[in-house]
Amino acid sequence: IYTKTNDSAPTHYFKNGSATGSLVSNGCCVEGRIEHSVIGRGCHIKEGALVKNCVLAPGTIIGEDVVIENVVVDKKVVISQVKEVKGTEEKPAYVKRNDRI
């Protein structure tokens, strides 16, 4: 069986970084808070950010003091210009691949 390896460092939780009830993949940098979410490889949650009830694909960057809730985020997205992105449990918001918002 041939597979493609994705070796990377373990997730780094900074002083104020935390994750509760979440699955966080390797290679992430967590400076903010993550609650009840699934986080892909190499994501960066910057200081003061809150990620709640979300699914983040690999390579996503959530900027400082940004709040996202009930959002599905595709690969290599940067959310830093807006301070809040929210969906509902019945209809989650979606951010498409490579978007910069």
Side-chain angles (χ1 to χ4, degrees):
I1 298 175
Y2 294 99
T3 61
K4 183 177 179 182
T5 61
N6 288 317
D7 295 334
S8 59
T11 295
H12 185 173
Y13 292 93
F14 290 83
K15 182 179 179 182
N16 294 324
S18 67
T20 56
S22 300
L23 175 66
V24 182
S25 298
N26 57 339
C28 294
C29 293
V30 180
E31 298 178 62
R33 289 185 3 228
I34 302 170
E35 299 177 3
H36 309 290
S37 299
V38 178
I39 311 298
R41 292 176 199 252
C43 291
H44 191 152
I45 313 302
K46 294 192 177 181
E47 190 170 342
L50 171 63
V51 177
K52 185 174 181 181
N53 300 328
C54 295
V55 177
L56 274 57
T60 299
I61 298 172
I62 307 299
E64 289 185 13
D65 301 319
V66 172
V67 176
I68 65 170
E69 186 173 350
N70 299 314
V71 181
V72 177
V73 180
D74 212 336
K75 291 180 178 180
K76 299 179 183 176
V77 169
V78 177
I79 301 175
S80 61
Q81 301 299 315
V82 297
K83 292 300 174 187
E84 188 173 282
V85 179
K86 288 190 177 182
T88 64
E89 288 186 19
E90 295 80 28
K91 189 173 181 182
Y94 173 73
V95 181
K96 67 181 179 148
R97 184 177 293 195
N98 297 319
D99 260 4
R100 304 283 187 259
I101 58 173

